[in-house]
Amino acid sequence: MASTYLLKALNAGLTNGNSKTWTWSGWFKRSKLGTNQVLWSWGNDGSSDAYMWINSDDKFTAMADGQYGSSGFVSTMTFKDVNSWYHLVFRCDVTEASNADRWRVYVNGEQITMASQTITNATSIVNQVTTVNVAIGRRQRAAALGDYWDGYMSQVVVVDGTAYGPSTFGSTDATTGEWKPKSDGEIRSAVTFGTNGGLYPFSNASYLGYDYQSSDRSGTTNDYTLGGSGYKTSDNPSDNQPTLNSEVDKGGGIGYSYSQANQGLSFSAGDWGLIPGTIGPGDSGKWYFEAKQTSLTNYAQMGFLTAKNLNAGGWEGYFGQEGGNEPAYGYGQDGKIYYSTTSANTQSTSADWATFTSGDICMCALDLDNNFIYFGKNGTWGNSGDPTSGSTGTGGFSIANPSGSLWLPAVAGYNCTWLVNFGNGYFDTTQVASGNSDDGGLGTFEYDVPAGYRTICTKNIKTYG
């Protein structure tokens, strides 16, 4: 997340490791594109520098002082997906005879093509912990501090002294064909971490930088210290959750400002805008999310719409506007439901639901089995609604649900700010006070998730959606 990093400061009491042979493995999901963002970096107060990053062209780049030419080591592949997790392995062994084997990069289990570069068999500053700092998530050289990672990371593994391939850290799912992470235990059994290596699953909310190369953390001094406002999240490579989709075609010259790895969004006063989440269910199941309004000057809405609505131009306005007669249902700050159906756009109800304003937390429950949607605020369902009422739809709003639909959570606004909670348990950097989960124990929300409703995530979508 922006301005967040993990740091291991240089220490004369530590022991230098192997600067010629090492491995970095990590999973990441991007939020912001088109800027330099560092994954792992070594640096000090002088001119020495070593780092791996996604550059402003959205390509992977590596530099290591003493081992690279002036142009660096750049991928031909671009990383522009803000919806999915990538797994990257950087395998370094400059003692190899072939230049092509000295630095190798793998994404989701496959070696990728890098621009031609001569890598020398020379000592770099990597693993020189007595003289340089090392950071995850920002560039560390004093003269160039910054280039913070903006997104998510999971299960970072650092290996000192051995060059491992991707199969050490991941495998292909026999059923789905997807590349998936191996468990922490499997990695511990397969890897010799070396002097300055470590396993960083970011699973301890109180100390994200703990090194778990031993399950009980014995015998290691390779922890990192958190800097910035990052936090432990349930979004991970094995259970992907939606974020607000910063890469949809927004049109209209509307001003958008994203925060906290696309969990927050401010709309300018220039015009209406609508932004969906990156993933959602199909035409079945029951789904829940929350959104907090923090700066409501003019107008705001939250709810669900179908992906076809976006294709028809619905992203340019608000819920139901310019939707091409595709379903969309949004709860407005004036207590009305704004919607489109398969036969009409730009519809609204009377003000049967409570109004909301800055500071209020809005709730949305979408029942695609009985075709009703429910809205509420601050723990109370509007219109005397009961999301568990099933086919009677007590207090719910009847929706159109064409077969084969893809439903996406979304927020809309005009001069306002939304902070969404799709299950991460935070509104921006503020943790929810209550900690309610769905019936399967997934997600963390401020208010009680109605019985039968689920967090929007890939685990639940595979089972219920």
Side-chain angles (χ1 to χ4, degrees):
M1 297 173 187
S3 299
T4 295
Y5 61 98
L6 292 163
L7 176 68
K8 184 167 68 172
L10 64 91
N11 188 324
L14 299 176
T15 302
N16 290 333
N18 192 322
S19 292
K20 294 187 175 185
T21 306
W22 46 267
T23 310
W24 190 94
S25 167
W27 292 80
F28 63 84
K29 184 166 78 169
R30 304 198 66 192
S31 295
K32 185 177 182 179
L33 306 184
T35 62
N36 295 329
Q37 296 176 38
V38 168
L39 293 161
W40 192 49
S41 173
W42 293 77
N44 57 20
D45 293 335
S47 59
S48 296
D49 212 4
Y51 53 93
M52 307 179 335
W53 64 1
I54 306 297
N55 67 18
S56 58
D57 293 326
D58 301 307
K59 296 181 178 182
F60 175 77
T61 303
M63 300 254 185
D65 191 55
Q67 292 175 344
Y68 70 98
S70 59
S71 61
F73 193 59
V74 184
S75 70
T76 57
M77 173 185 178
T78 58
F79 296 77
K80 291 189 174 184
D81 188 352
V82 297
N83 172 47
S84 303
W85 284 84
Y86 294 98
H87 179 226
L88 186 142
V89 174
F90 192 109
R91 183 178 186 175
C92 171
D93 186 355
V94 299
T95 66
E96 290 276 6
S98 169
N99 182 68
D101 292 335
R102 290 177 174 178
W103 280 10
R104 286 172 281 180
V105 182
Y106 305 83
V107 175
N108 297 340
E110 300 291 333
Q111 187 170 358
I112 64 172
T113 303
M114 306 295 290
S116 178
Q117 182 59 258
T118 299
I119 309 300
T120 65
N121 182 5
T123 299
S124 73
I125 63 171
V126 174
N127 286 322
Q128 300 304 294
V129 294
T130 63
T131 55
V132 294
N133 300 310
V134 56
I136 297 171
R138 80 168 180 186
R139 190 173 179 186
Q140 193 50 45
R141 183 162 66 91
L145 285 178
D147 295 330
Y148 293 93
W149 183 253
D150 196 335
Y152 302 80
M153 286 194 201
S154 182
Q155 200 185 61
V156 169
V157 184
V158 179
V159 178
D160 177 354
T162 307
Y164 290 104
S167 61
T168 303
F169 311 100
S171 63
T172 301
D173 189 285
T175 302
T176 65
E178 295 175 308
W179 184 255
K180 63 182 183 180
K182 289 189 173 180
S183 69
D184 292 347
E186 289 176 302
I187 292 173
R188 289 190 194 101
S189 297
V191 167
T192 300
F193 291 92
T195 304
N196 294 297
L199 170 62
Y200 306 96
F202 312 132
S203 58
N204 188 311
S206 300
Y207 203 129
L208 290 178
Y210 269 166
D211 171 17
Y212 282 93
Q213 63 177 274
S214 300
S215 58
D216 61 358
R217 298 196 62 254
S218 62
T220 176
T221 57
N222 291 333
D223 296 341
Y224 286 70
T225 301
L226 175 67
S229 58
Y231 53 79
K232 176 180 178 287
T233 172
S234 54
D235 193 347
N236 66 81
S238 298
D239 191 19
N240 194 14
Q241 293 183 350
T243 60
L244 293 171
N245 193 336
S246 58
E247 295 307 307
V248 296
D249 186 0
K250 297 176 279 287
I254 304 163
Y256 299 84
S257 178
Y258 292 86
S259 65
Q260 206 61 17
N262 292 358
Q263 300 290 336
L265 173 59
S266 294
F267 296 93
S268 74
D271 200 353
W272 273 95
L274 185 151
I275 297 296
T278 51
I279 62 173
D283 57 7
S284 63
K286 300 176 181 180
W287 309 95
Y288 177 84
F289 83 100
E290 299 171 342
K292 184 176 183 178
Q293 185 52 233
T294 63
S295 178
L296 179 52
T297 302
N298 288 335
Y299 305 103
Q301 299 170 346
M302 58 89 74
F304 274 89
L305 46 71
T306 64
K308 287 184 178 180
N309 188 286
L310 296 175
N311 294 336
W315 43 263
E316 291 184 357
Y318 51 84
F319 281 89
Q321 184 188 36
E322 302 178 15
N325 296 340
E326 298 293 344
Y329 302 90
Y331 174 32
Q333 84 292 333
D334 55 2
K336 296 180 180 181
I337 306 302
Y338 292 83
Y339 66 97
S340 62
T341 66
T342 54
S343 60
N345 293 329
T346 320
Q347 306 295 302
S348 63
T349 67
S350 58
D352 296 325
W353 283 256
T355 62
F356 62 82
T357 188
S358 297
D360 287 332
I361 296 174
C362 299
M363 310 174 298
C364 182
L366 178 67
D367 183 351
L368 295 173
D369 296 331
N370 297 289
N371 296 333
F372 289 98
I373 194 167
Y374 302 82
F375 297 103
K377 74 168 187 178
N378 301 334
T380 300
W381 292 102
N383 198 30
S384 301
D386 179 7
T388 65
S389 58
S391 59
T392 62
T394 302
F397 188 79
S398 180
I399 66 171
N401 181 20
S403 177
S405 292
L406 171 63
W407 288 87
L408 299 172
V411 293
Y414 185 111
N415 201 13
C416 70
T417 298
W418 280 111
L419 306 177
V420 296
N421 177 19
F422 294 126
N424 271 335
Y426 282 80
F427 292 108
D428 200 41
T429 59
T430 302
Q431 190 172 11
V432 300
S434 301
N436 296 287
S437 299
D438 67 17
D439 291 345
L442 297 178
T444 304
F445 296 96
E446 184 67 51
Y447 298 110
D448 181 53
V449 181
Y453 287 77
R454 302 289 173 172
T455 302
I456 306 166
C457 60
T458 52
K459 279 186 178 180
N460 279 335
I461 290 171
K462 288 177 181 178
T463 304
Y464 303 103

